Amino acid sequence: MTRARLRRSTSPVEVLTVESVHDLNRHLRDAGHRPGPDQLALVSVVLAHVEEIGDRKLASTFGHRASRDAPRALSSLRFQGLVRITDRVQLITPLRRAMAIVRRTPIDITALATDLYHWNERAQNSWCFQYFGAGDAEPETNQTGDQDQ
């Protein structure tokens, strides 16, 4: 029932009415994180859509092709729309819809939660490399998030 409520949620207020979200918040705070309502809502809604835990990155799953000439799981246009969103609240609904496309694919929830928690240019760039199957070619970054020259 909790996951179902979260999967239908479209705003931070809706998400924050679910008790287990506050349990997640306590765990994050115990680990030294201080999520804002938007971060907590986005992570909670998206993780509620993950049906199987595995080692695949979500963006890589979106970019997966069944064969070389087959279309990607999530179209390039929809993916571009996702990674261009900078506001976490605005990201909830399109990402929630995109998750339905990869429902039963095992996803690396630690990497996913980290990316969504920090949703910034670095995470967005990383998703682009993963989507196009070039995650191993992703440029190294230093601790400030800038690319090394």
Side-chain angles (χ1 to χ4, degrees), residues 71-136:
R72 296 183 186 278
L74 183 70
S75 76
S76 182
L77 284 176
R78 284 187 68 187
F79 178 76
Q80 288 174 35
L82 275 178
V83 295
R84 288 183 175 149
I85 298 171
T86 56
D87 181 270
R88 286 181 185 91
V89 174
Q90 292 178 4
L91 186 59
I92 291 173
T93 298
L95 190 51
R96 182 174 56 95
R97 290 178 180 152
M99 292 297 294
I101 294 169
V102 295
R103 307 177 66 150
R104 291 184 171 75
T105 305
I107 302 294
D108 180 343
I109 62 169
T110 302
L112 177 57
T114 300
D115 286 347
L116 297 177
Y117 181 87
H118 296 288
W119 191 249
N120 55 22
E121 189 173 338
R122 185 176 183 181
Q124 293 162 304
N125 289 338
S126 181
W127 277 36
C128 290
F129 280 94
Q130 293 166 19
Y131 179 82
F132 290 104
D136 57 343

Side-chain angles (χ1 to χ4, degrees), residues 2-147:
T2 298
R3 285 185 63 216
R5 282 186 57 203
L6 288 172
R7 285 193 299 258
R8 289 189 305 271
S9 297
T10 59
S11 73
V13 172
E14 283 181 87
V15 174
L16 295 174
T17 64
V18 178
E19 185 174 359
S20 62
V21 171
H22 296 279
D23 294 336
L24 173 61
N25 187 41
R26 275 189 284 286
H27 288 295
L28 288 169
R29 288 173 118 13
D30 289 347
H33 302 287
R34 300 290 180 256
D38 297 352
Q39 288 170 304
L40 194 57
L42 178 60
V43 169
S44 297
V45 167
V46 174
L47 289 182
H49 282 81
V50 175
E51 292 187 14
E52 292 186 43
I53 298 171
D55 61 353
R56 291 199 65 186
K57 304 278 193 293
L58 181 60
S60 168
T61 303
F62 285 155
H64 177 74
R65 294 177 184 219
S67 68
R68 185 174 176 88
D69 296 329
R72 296 183 186 278
L74 183 70
S75 76
S76 182
L77 284 176
R78 284 187 68 187
F79 178 76
Q80 288 174 35
L82 275 178
V83 295
R84 288 183 175 149
I85 298 171
T86 56
D87 181 270
R88 286 181 185 91
V89 174
Q90 292 178 4
L91 186 59
I92 291 173
T93 298
L95 190 51
R96 182 174 56 95
R97 290 178 180 152
M99 292 297 294
I101 294 169
V102 295
R103 307 177 66 150
R104 291 184 171 75
T105 305
I107 302 294
D108 180 343
I109 62 169
T110 302
L112 177 57
T114 300
D115 286 347
L116 297 177
Y117 181 87
H118 296 288
W119 191 249
N120 55 22
E121 189 173 338
R122 185 176 183 181
Q124 293 162 304
N125 289 338
S126 181
W127 277 36
C128 290
F129 280 94
Q130 293 166 19
Y131 179 82
F132 290 104
D136 57 343
E138 185 176 346
E140 296 292 323
T141 56
N142 62 28
Q143 290 186 340
T144 63
D146 298 329
Q147 292 183 354

